[in-house]
Amino acid sequence: MSKSKPAIQATSSPRQAAYTTLQRLVNSDLHADDLIDQELSHNQLQGPDRGLFAELAFGVLRRQGSLDHYLKQLVQQPLERLELPVLLLLRLGLYQLRYLDRVPSHAAVHATVELTNVILPRAKGLINGVLRSYLRQQESLTLPDPAQQPVAWLAAAYSLPGWLAEQWLQQFPQSEAAGLAAASTEIPPLTLRVNSLRTTRNALLERLQAAEFIAEPCRFAPEGIQILQRCQITSLPGFTEGLFMVQDEASQLVAHLLAPQAGQQILDMCAAPGGKATHLAQLMNDQGCVTATDLNARRIRRICESAERLGLTSIQAVAGDALGNDYLEGMQFDRILLDAPCSGLGVIRRNPEAKWRLTPAEISRCAARQRLLIDAAAARLKPGGVLVYATCSTAVEEDEAVIKDFLSRNPEFVVENGAQFFPEWADLFDNSGYLRAWPHRHGTDGFFAARLKRIDR
């Protein structure tokens, strides 16, 4: 595949902006949501074009596997031999034809050909021909047989890399694996965590509804509110007053599982951008100390900014390497949260570019680091203390396997069944007492958490 052209500057065309965003993501570690926010901040796109741009960029990433499956049936040569601009333009055009009902077919083809004339004029004929072939042949395009080729079928039908389709089919029956895969292609809700030190959920709901935002309380998280429409976070009532933090519902449950108490010494080991650290301080009534650490000094600033906006003073944010020999030397904590860096498989509906970058080898590397991190956390926990290990991954290798390995080497730790502490969340806990939230079952991000207690000897 040939190298891409230099990035195009901000434009008033939503399709060109989407193309540029997709191009910049190829072979990079950039994040789609950051690039989309960047583009929107230029204010070149106005009105409905802003929504169309975000829909195209995120939509192509979410549906890339399915789009490529159909393109293979329409293009004469292997897709890997196409120039990158051609492949991106074909994905953009086909996404509109297959998944965007509000864009008429003739308009989608015409707009994609016009964009090709700007990006790579000599490819106009190819782009036009393939998209028109789709319109003629769409009813005859096929998927693999789910009975004979379950992995290939799941990957093509629900836009997954083959290794992830295989992994989910090992974890679930085919019908439920399909449910998880389908949920992972959907647009996730915007979820807020109410700052209960400044307002109540009902009061904020009333303000949102008075301002004509469509909002409802979350099913599980007691401080959670879902916004059921597209909006700018900073435009929501109460943002500047620090009445809420943006945080997925499953992520909100983790601080409750740790159950910090006022006056305690709490450690949040991998704390940026600060959602859980600020939640811990909130649950402690801002009394005690939450030591929030992260490797990156810039990300530490984000924790401080969030704490300041929410009016929290009990958070001490410190840049530091949790695996360094001098990490918080001599300090011991009553409770520790280790929200371990992970593959992010549970949040691919929010970060769809991640599923095309990840490999099984990367998951194994994450798991190896997670085993070191949980050992470092255990070394900082007081006898009788509580440690919660959490990830936003669906992979057993990063979750149950890490806990099993840790317990085999640390007999002074035991698993505490979360359902005993939170019977109202019984649906969220498995037979081992681990919290397992799933997009297709609970409408949340995919999350894993284990509550471990160090026995006081």
Side-chain angles (χ1 to χ4, degrees):
M1 191 177 290
S2 68
K3 293 183 179 179
S4 58
K5 296 167 68 176
I8 299 168
Q9 298 303 308
T11 171
S12 59
S13 161
R15 291 173 176 84
Q16 188 165 327
Y19 170 87
T20 301
T21 298
L22 294 169
Q23 180 194 49
R24 291 181 65 192
L25 287 168
V26 174
N27 299 324
S28 80
D29 58 359
L30 299 171
H31 296 285
D33 54 352
D34 291 338
L35 294 185
I36 288 169
D37 287 346
Q38 259 180 47
E39 184 66 46
L40 292 174
S41 71
H42 295 145
N43 291 320
Q44 296 291 315
L45 298 170
Q46 300 297 324
D49 283 351
R50 294 172 67 86
L52 178 59
F53 155 64
E55 167 71 32
L56 290 174
F58 272 130
V60 168
L61 291 168
R62 289 192 178 104
R63 301 286 185 176
Q64 179 177 310
S66 301
L67 293 169
D68 287 359
H69 174 78
Y70 293 119
L71 284 173
K72 287 174 185 176
Q73 299 175 59
L74 297 165
V75 179
Q76 299 294 317
Q77 57 184 302
L79 297 189
E80 57 268 20
R81 293 182 57 187
L82 293 176
E83 293 178 85
L84 176 60
V86 172
L87 181 57
L88 294 179
L89 289 162
L90 286 173
R91 287 172 179 166
L92 264 173
L94 185 56
Y95 179 79
Q96 294 169 73
L97 294 176
R98 191 160 188 93
Y99 298 106
L100 281 193
D101 294 338
R102 69 179 184 271
V103 178
S105 297
H106 68 276
V109 174
H110 176 75
T112 307
V113 173
E114 287 298 299
L115 179 57
T116 306
N117 196 40
V118 174
I119 306 296
L120 194 67
R122 58 185 166 77
K124 282 196 304 182
L126 172 60
I127 301 295
N128 185 57
V130 171
L131 296 182
R132 293 193 181 280
S133 293
Y134 170 78
L135 292 175
R136 292 192 302 271
Q137 301 174 36
Q138 56 185 306
E139 299 301 327
S140 62
L141 298 178
T142 61
L143 289 169
D145 185 329
Q148 300 297 319
Q149 298 177 282
V151 172
W153 168 78
L154 191 66
Y158 296 103
S159 189
L160 297 174
W163 66 265
L164 182 54
E166 184 174 11
Q167 188 175 108
W168 284 355
L169 284 168
Q170 290 171 351
Q171 290 176 259
F172 295 106
Q174 188 178 75
S175 59
E176 189 167 2
L180 172 57
S184 297
T185 65
E186 293 171 358
I187 299 172
L190 173 64
T191 307
L192 312 181
R193 189 197 79 235
V194 176
N195 181 0
S196 56
L197 300 183
R198 288 189 167 176
T199 189
T200 66
R201 178 160 72 174
N202 285 340
L204 186 56
L205 277 168
E206 288 175 5
R207 283 192 61 177
L208 289 165
Q209 290 159 359
E212 300 187 341
F213 288 97
I214 305 169
E216 65 180 24
C218 287
R219 174 182 169 190
F220 298 104
E223 306 97 341
I225 292 176
Q226 285 193 353
I227 307 295
L228 305 178
Q229 66 192 79
R230 291 184 185 221
C231 62
Q232 285 186 294
I233 295 163
T234 53
S235 71
L236 293 171
F239 175 80
T240 54
E241 300 158 69
L243 301 189
F244 65 83
M245 182 92 172
V246 173
Q247 187 178 12
D248 181 72
E249 183 175 12
S251 177
Q252 293 183 38
L253 304 178
V254 174
H256 284 285
L257 190 61
L258 187 64
Q261 304 300 306
Q264 286 185 328
Q265 296 292 313
I266 308 295
L267 171 61
D268 184 353
M269 281 186 68
C270 304
K276 296 180 187 67
T278 56
H279 196 190
L280 291 167
Q282 181 178 316
L283 293 178
M284 297 163 62
N285 202 31
D286 207 24
Q287 297 172 17
C289 181
V290 178
T291 301
T293 71
D294 200 87
L295 269 173
N296 189 306
R298 179 179 58 82
R299 286 163 62 83
I300 285 292
R301 285 197 296 275
R302 289 186 64 186
I303 300 173
C304 296
E305 289 165 2
S306 294
E308 184 177 0
R309 184 175 64 83
L310 297 173
L312 300 168
T313 60
S314 61
I315 296 175
Q316 181 179 358
V318 182
D321 182 358
L323 297 182
N325 291 332
D326 58 349
Y327 176 70
L328 302 179
E329 193 169 4
M331 297 181 70
Q332 293 280 288
F333 297 88
D334 299 295
R335 306 203 174 192
I336 296 176
L337 172 60
L338 170 55
D339 182 18
C342 68
S343 64
L345 286 175
V347 293
I348 56 175
R349 61 181 187 163
R350 298 187 187 279
N351 306 303
E353 70 279 7
K355 63 183 173 181
W356 308 116
R357 297 173 179 172
L358 286 168
T359 64
E362 178 61 28
I363 290 175
S364 295
R365 283 193 291 272
C366 285
R369 181 173 174 80
Q370 289 153 0
R371 289 193 292 271
L372 296 175
L373 285 168
I374 196 171
D375 286 347
R380 291 280 164 256
L381 188 67
K382 294 178 181 178
V386 174
L387 163 65
V388 167
Y389 171 87
T391 76
C392 54
S393 176
T394 63
V396 171
E397 186 176 1
E398 296 183 87
D399 298 335
E400 291 92 344
V402 170
I403 299 300
K404 182 179 179 180
D405 171 75
F406 175 77
L407 293 174
S408 73
R409 297 181 288 102
N410 295 273
E412 70 276 22
F413 280 84
V414 296
V415 176
E416 294 194 308
N417 189 335
Q420 294 177 354
F421 298 93
F422 303 98
E424 68 276 21
W425 297 346
D427 288 350
L428 292 167
F429 294 97
D430 64 18
N431 293 333
S432 298
Y434 301 139
L435 185 149
R436 266 291 191 188
W438 297 99
H440 65 298
R441 290 181 182 173
H442 308 114
T444 67
D445 288 343
F447 239 89
F448 171 88
R451 178 181 162 118
L452 307 174
K453 186 176 182 71
R454 184 170 189 167
I455 301 169
D456 192 354
R457 296 182 184 278

